Amino acid sequence: MAKLLVTGGAGFIGANFVRYWQEKAPGGEIVVLDALTYAGNRENIADVPGAELVVGDIRDTDLVTKLLDERGIDTIVHFAAESHVDRSISGPDAFIDTNVLGTHSLLKAARAVWLDKGTGRPHRFHNVSTDEVYGSLGPDDAAFSETTPYAPNSPYSASKASADHLVRAYHHTFGLDVTTSNCSNNYGPYQFPEKLIPLFMINALNGRNLPIYGDGMNVRDWLHVEDHCRGIDLALSNGKPGETYNIGGGQELPNIEVVRRICAHVDAAFAADPSLAERFPDAPAAQGRSTTELMTYVEDRKGHDRRYAIDERKARDELRYEPGYDFEGGLDMTLAWYLANPGWWQPLIERAKLGAA
């Protein structure tokens, strides 16, 4: 059984992966390294048996080296990252520090323990990246494949592209066993409420505006986080060293359509459960009105990429990956989770800088 170090494992996707892995391999041990910045929450994994949280920074190479060496870790799954585009526009330094320097710190530690000591230990460094490194697509352009040239358009995507190149270089130069996955937009439980789907669900419940960037026609491919976790698992077990795999959900939608579907799901939930009107009296749906009345249009974001789309044929062919969720089912499940867990998200919304879609 692999011994895992999961960086950023108290964040959204990382915590879901920790939970996924422990359900798949109960009784195993996972070391989670997380700095617990604003988007990291120890409560996300507090009830996961065998998950040990080490509070620390991935830029602390000595700490990472010690963990790899003393715990006999043979697999790193690297989620830790600054990931919100709006924040990268207002404060890009943190993205360079964490996403570039932090990734390099991990690679140095992995090389020191797994290669330089000459143990010959089988190992894997899996780098979790994003489709945003490929830039923006026109309406008729072919979807991003693993051979699409990198063309990042925000400080966030540029920092992730830099990390991807470092991971590739450590494989080709030093022989480190690595894989990278570039995913589309994730959604699901435990997502910090600055991202589109949880933000708009929570805003709808509280009767707050749903601010939509530009004309709302920016297109994204939507991936349920559980499907993403399964794709990473398959990359770890079936992926070829040095290879990159695109993991998508096959659900390409304009933002305005995503917002309309969120509104429809919220309205349907209130219609089916009258107690929600008592719990969330400020929601339009509590008075029998449509949640769509909260939709507003705001000035577009700087450098806002028009369209992302994932060509996942390589992952399907080589990893046997296939998404299990359609968007309607995944959205319904996600809303149900947020309705059932206000104690998780209510303390966070005061700290979140609410944005637009």
Side-chain angles (χ1 to χ4, degrees):
M1 183 182 296
K3 295 184 178 180
L4 268 63
L5 174 68
V6 180
T7 72
F12 163 47
I13 307 176
N16 275 280
F17 180 79
V18 169
R19 291 176 170 277
Y20 167 90
W21 190 267
Q22 286 297 70
E23 289 180 9
K24 171 195 171 184
E29 296 181 3
I30 300 176
V31 178
V32 172
L33 178 61
D34 200 297
L36 296 183
T37 57
Y38 77 96
N41 187 344
R42 65 174 70 243
E43 297 303 317
N44 291 354
I45 56 171
D47 61 341
V48 180
E52 177 192 358
L53 174 62
V54 176
V55 179
D57 195 316
I58 59 173
R59 293 172 298 174
D60 187 343
T61 309
D62 290 340
L63 171 61
V64 178
T65 302
K66 182 178 179 181
L67 290 173
L68 297 180
D69 193 22
E70 294 185 353
R71 308 299 180 86
I73 289 167
D74 54 28
T75 303
I76 295 174
V77 186
H78 177 33
F79 294 97
E82 296 284 348
S83 64
H84 193 47
V85 174
D86 284 351
R87 289 179 182 267
S88 81
I89 294 170
S90 61
D93 287 0
F95 289 74
I96 304 304
D97 287 345
T98 298
N99 300 352
V100 182
L101 300 181
T103 299
H104 189 220
S105 170
L106 292 171
L107 290 165
K108 289 191 294 182
R111 177 191 173 194
V113 175
W114 293 339
L115 299 179
D116 292 350
K117 286 191 172 184
T119 63
R121 178 188 299 166
H123 62 271
R124 172 63 59 87
F125 185 112
H126 183 78
N127 174 47
V128 180
S129 189
T130 172
D131 58 359
E132 296 189 41
V133 299
Y134 298 122
S136 183
L137 294 171
D140 299 320
D141 290 341
F144 299 134
S145 74
E146 290 81 359
T147 60
T148 300
Y150 276 28
N153 290 321
S154 71
Y156 162 61
S157 56
S159 68
K160 290 296 289 184
S162 299
D164 293 359
H165 291 319
L166 284 169
V167 172
R168 174 183 170 85
Y170 265 70
H171 171 71
H172 286 279
T173 302
F174 304 116
L176 198 68
D177 185 339
V178 307
T179 44
T180 290
S181 55
N182 294 84
C183 69
S184 56
N185 279 36
N186 279 229
Y187 69 100
Y190 298 100
Q191 188 168 26
F192 192 77
E194 67 182 357
K195 301 290 184 154
L196 191 159
I197 288 178
L199 170 64
F200 279 34
M201 285 180 175
I202 292 169
N203 278 12
L205 296 176
N206 290 288
R208 298 172 181 164
N209 284 341
L210 308 181
I212 301 162
Y213 281 132
D215 61 3
M217 293 305 295
N218 300 76
V219 175
R220 301 292 183 262
D221 176 88
W222 291 94
L223 171 66
H224 191 277
V225 67
E226 186 176 319
D227 285 334
H228 187 192
C229 292
R230 185 167 60 256
I232 293 169
D233 180 16
L234 290 169
L236 289 172
S237 58
N238 301 337
K240 300 176 182 177
E243 291 295 312
T244 294
Y245 299 94
N246 284 349
I247 300 175
Q251 307 289 310
E252 190 178 341
L253 296 167
N255 286 346
I256 189 65
E257 178 61 24
V258 173
V259 177
R260 288 180 180 136
R261 294 194 190 190
I262 291 171
C263 292
H265 278 257
V266 170
D267 291 346
F270 274 75
D273 184 358
S275 71
L276 291 177
E278 297 180 7
R279 292 173 56 197
F280 305 104
D282 295 328
Q287 288 87 43
R289 308 196 312 273
S290 173
T291 303
T292 58
E293 70 181 48
L294 299 174
M295 293 169 56
T296 59
Y297 290 87
V298 299
E299 183 179 354
D300 206 357
R301 182 169 68 195
K302 294 178 180 179
H304 198 181
D305 289 338
R306 192 63 172 173
R307 173 176 169 247
Y308 304 147
I310 285 282
D311 179 346
E312 61 196 34
R313 284 177 292 179
K314 181 178 178 181
R316 288 177 182 268
D317 293 344
E318 294 188 15
L319 306 181
R320 299 295 183 261
Y321 166 76
E322 185 174 355
Y325 286 89
D326 63 22
F327 189 70
E328 287 299 306
L331 194 64
D332 190 57
M333 182 182 183
T334 301
L335 176 60
W337 188 89
Y338 280 90
L339 289 172
N341 292 277
W344 180 86
W345 53 262
Q346 283 174 338
L348 300 178
I349 59 175
E350 297 302 322
R351 301 202 304 266
K353 292 182 179 179
L354 302 184

